[in-house]
Amino acid sequence: MTNPRSLFNIQSPTNASHSSHFTLKKPSKLLSYKKLTFCSFKVLCSSQPSKTPQNSNLTSTLVSILRVIPDWADKIQEGGMRKKRSLYKHETWVQHRSSLRHLRHLFSSFNSRVVLSLIPPVVAFTSFAFLIASYNSAVSLHWLPEFFPLLRASPQPYQLTAPALALLLVFRTEASYARFETGKKAWTNVIAGTNDFARQVITACVDKRDGVLKEALLQYIMAFPVALKCHIVYGSDLASDLKNLLEADDLAVVLSSKHRPRCIIGFISQSLQSLNLEGTKLSQLESKISCFHEGIGVCEQLIGIPIPLSYTRLTSRFLVLWHLTLPIILWDDCHWLVVPATFISAASLFCIEEVGVLIEEPFPMLALDELCQHVHDNIQEAMASEKQIQERLNTKRKRHFSENSPNGWPIS
């Protein structure tokens, strides 16, 4: 190996010269040494054990096995979210408040998507409690060496943090229900605004030349709630829902647009401009469109902006840490009863948190299909009864006129 000092040759001043100079040799040996070191480093790195295809396949197989139950529970939960809801009637309310409802709800637990979605976390924490109980029993019976500690702790930290967990769950569920209430009010305004808009169109459009355009306008009004429902509910089929409301050309335009509800609002606005209406009536009808824009804004806000994720994550982490340490806290008082105690605690608390997560997205919980159908039926009935109502009113007017003026002249 080359001595580093030999790389530099220092010459001292000779004869009468008062200057000194340094001569630097070319560090060729040093560069070759660095190259050798780098190559050896690459060889050492390449000789490290790498993941073989067998290990990767084994890991993927193990992960897929562990994900069987969670994937099954998620599939059931998402299937329940796409289930169509129905509006309550008198018979439904009687069954809802029946004294046998508790027994009926108990027997239908295994058909509930909320209960089935709790299987992965409840099974995991109950199994962990079983492992802790088995370990502590083995330590207590001296089946393990003496240096293994007994896992136990004071319950005072749990007594101090229990109110915090309760407040987290209450606030989480309350915030989710507030979103559900907002979504319900938004759709109440949309349905009421649609019915009122259609009624005013039927009343204001009396010109017979606008008959075809009036019917098309009413079809657009009936189509708006359906388009809004398909816009905010995942998995909806707008083409099949609107094929009986819109003509084929109009439906093609709506389907090709990026924002279907606003496209239908465009049809409504253009139809209003084409009607033979007075300025005041036209302005009054156009003001009703603002209800549709407000409904779109509220629904898109609820879909796009969840409860702050930091709050949701904090609640989830608190629940997980709580149930991971619960068997250790309860061991001195319960021993093997920590297993059923953990099961009951996890099933209860995670169920409350799961309900809050489900109703955070409010629209799959609402009977939007039946609400849209009710709007369609109401407007169709109003269109069908328009002529009958006008004929009845004309008959009453004529009869009143004939009774009060038999000679054709008004009575003084």
Side-chain angles (χ1 to χ4, degrees):
M1 184 174 178
T2 308
N3 190 357
R5 295 182 180 178
S6 64
L7 294 175
F8 298 91
N9 185 16
I10 304 175
Q11 295 182 358
S12 59
T14 58
N15 300 330
S17 176
H18 297 283
S19 64
S20 62
H21 62 278
F22 298 90
T23 303
L24 180 64
K25 293 184 179 181
K26 294 183 180 179
S28 57
K29 295 183 179 181
L30 179 62
L31 292 176
S32 62
Y33 173 74
K34 289 183 177 180
K35 291 181 180 179
L36 179 63
T37 306
F38 179 73
C39 293
S40 63
F41 177 73
K42 290 179 64 178
V43 171
L44 288 175
C45 292
S46 61
S47 63
Q48 294 294 329
S50 60
K51 290 185 178 180
T52 61
Q54 295 180 353
N55 292 335
S56 61
N57 293 334
L58 181 62
T59 303
S60 60
T61 303
L62 181 60
V63 171
S64 61
I65 292 175
L66 293 176
R67 286 185 60 88
V68 168
I69 296 180
D71 291 343
W72 169 75
D74 292 341
K75 184 179 180 180
I76 292 178
Q77 182 179 10
E78 293 302 320
M81 294 289 286
R82 291 191 294 269
K83 182 180 178 181
K84 292 185 178 180
R85 312 293 166 180
S86 58
L87 295 174
Y88 267 36
K89 301 178 181 179
H90 175 69
E91 295 80 8
T92 314
W93 281 111
V94 171
Q95 185 182 13
H96 179 72
R97 57 176 175 262
S98 173
S99 58
L100 297 176
R101 65 183 182 276
H102 304 292
L103 189 62
R104 183 178 68 249
H105 295 163
L106 179 61
F107 288 154
S108 62
S109 296
F110 292 101
N111 295 327
S112 172
R113 69 179 186 276
V114 176
V115 175
L116 294 178
S117 63
L118 295 178
I119 291 179
V122 172
V123 169
F125 291 116
T126 305
S127 302
F128 183 76
F130 178 80
L131 293 177
I132 294 296
S134 302
Y135 170 81
N136 283 343
S137 297
V139 172
S140 301
L141 296 174
H142 304 288
W143 291 352
L144 296 176
E146 295 182 356
F147 59 84
F148 281 93
L150 186 67
L151 298 180
R152 59 183 180 181
S154 172
Q156 290 184 355
Y158 265 49
Q159 296 174 2
L160 295 175
T161 57
L165 179 59
L167 289 176
L168 276 176
L169 291 175
V170 169
F171 291 158
R172 178 69 172 81
T173 309
E174 189 68 23
S176 298
Y177 183 76
R179 291 171 56 86
F180 175 81
E181 189 71 18
T182 302
K184 184 179 70 174
K185 289 181 179 178
W187 266 91
T188 301
N189 294 332
V190 169
I191 298 300
T194 303
N195 288 324
D196 188 42
F197 194 7
R199 178 191 61 81
Q200 293 197 20
V201 169
I202 293 173
T203 305
C205 299
V206 294
D207 195 341
K208 294 182 179 180
R209 294 174 297 177
D210 295 334
V212 177
L213 195 57
K214 174 183 175 181
E215 184 177 355
L217 176 58
L218 291 174
Q219 288 178 348
Y220 298 145
I221 294 174
M222 288 186 290
F224 175 77
V226 180
L228 181 59
K229 183 260 300 183
C230 295
H231 181 65
I232 60 178
V233 176
Y234 176 77
S236 300
D237 190 359
L238 182 63
S240 62
D241 290 344
L242 290 181
K243 65 180 180 180
N244 296 326
L245 288 176
L246 300 179
E247 298 179 358
D249 296 337
D250 296 341
L251 182 58
V253 174
V254 172
L255 293 178
S256 63
S257 64
K258 295 182 179 180
H259 200 289
R260 279 77 179 271
R262 296 193 189 279
C263 181
I264 292 181
I265 290 178
F267 274 104
I268 294 174
S269 300
Q270 295 296 328
S271 301
L272 287 176
Q273 295 295 330
S274 301
L275 291 174
N276 295 318
L277 295 175
E278 298 178 357
T280 55
K281 289 184 178 180
L282 181 60
S283 300
Q284 186 178 5
L285 290 177
E286 286 182 342
S287 64
K288 295 296 180 181
I289 301 179
S290 61
C291 176
F292 292 167
H293 286 289
E294 183 180 356
I296 292 174
V298 174
C299 292
E300 288 182 345
Q301 183 181 11
L302 290 175
I303 287 294
I305 305 176
I307 293 175
L309 297 179
S310 58
Y311 194 90
T312 302
R313 292 166 183 163
L314 175 62
T315 307
S316 178
R317 291 163 182 164
F318 205 148
L319 282 172
V320 170
L321 293 177
W322 177 279
H323 289 92
L324 284 178
T325 55
L326 184 62
I328 301 175
I329 298 295
L330 298 180
W331 175 254
D332 286 338
D333 297 330
C334 300
H335 292 282
W336 274 94
L337 289 179
V338 297
V339 178
T342 303
F343 172 81
I344 295 174
S345 176
S348 302
L349 298 181
F350 276 96
C351 184
I352 298 173
E353 195 261 349
E354 184 70 21
V355 170
V357 172
L358 287 179
I359 65 176
E360 184 179 359
E361 184 184 358
F363 303 113
M365 304 289 108
L366 300 175
L368 299 183
D369 291 285
E370 284 201 14
L371 289 175
C372 295
Q373 186 63 38
H374 276 256
V375 169
H376 177 268
D377 296 341
N378 292 337
I379 296 177
Q380 289 287 351
E381 183 180 1
M383 294 169 60
S385 61
E386 178 187 7
K387 294 182 179 180
Q388 297 179 1
I389 294 175
Q390 288 180 354
E391 291 177 357
R392 287 295 304 159
L393 293 176
N394 292 332
T395 303
K396 287 184 178 182
R397 188 183 298 110
K398 291 179 181 179
R399 185 175 58 189
H400 178 75
F401 181 77
S402 62
E403 289 177 356
N404 294 326
S405 55
N407 297 325
W409 296 95
I411 299 175
S412 58

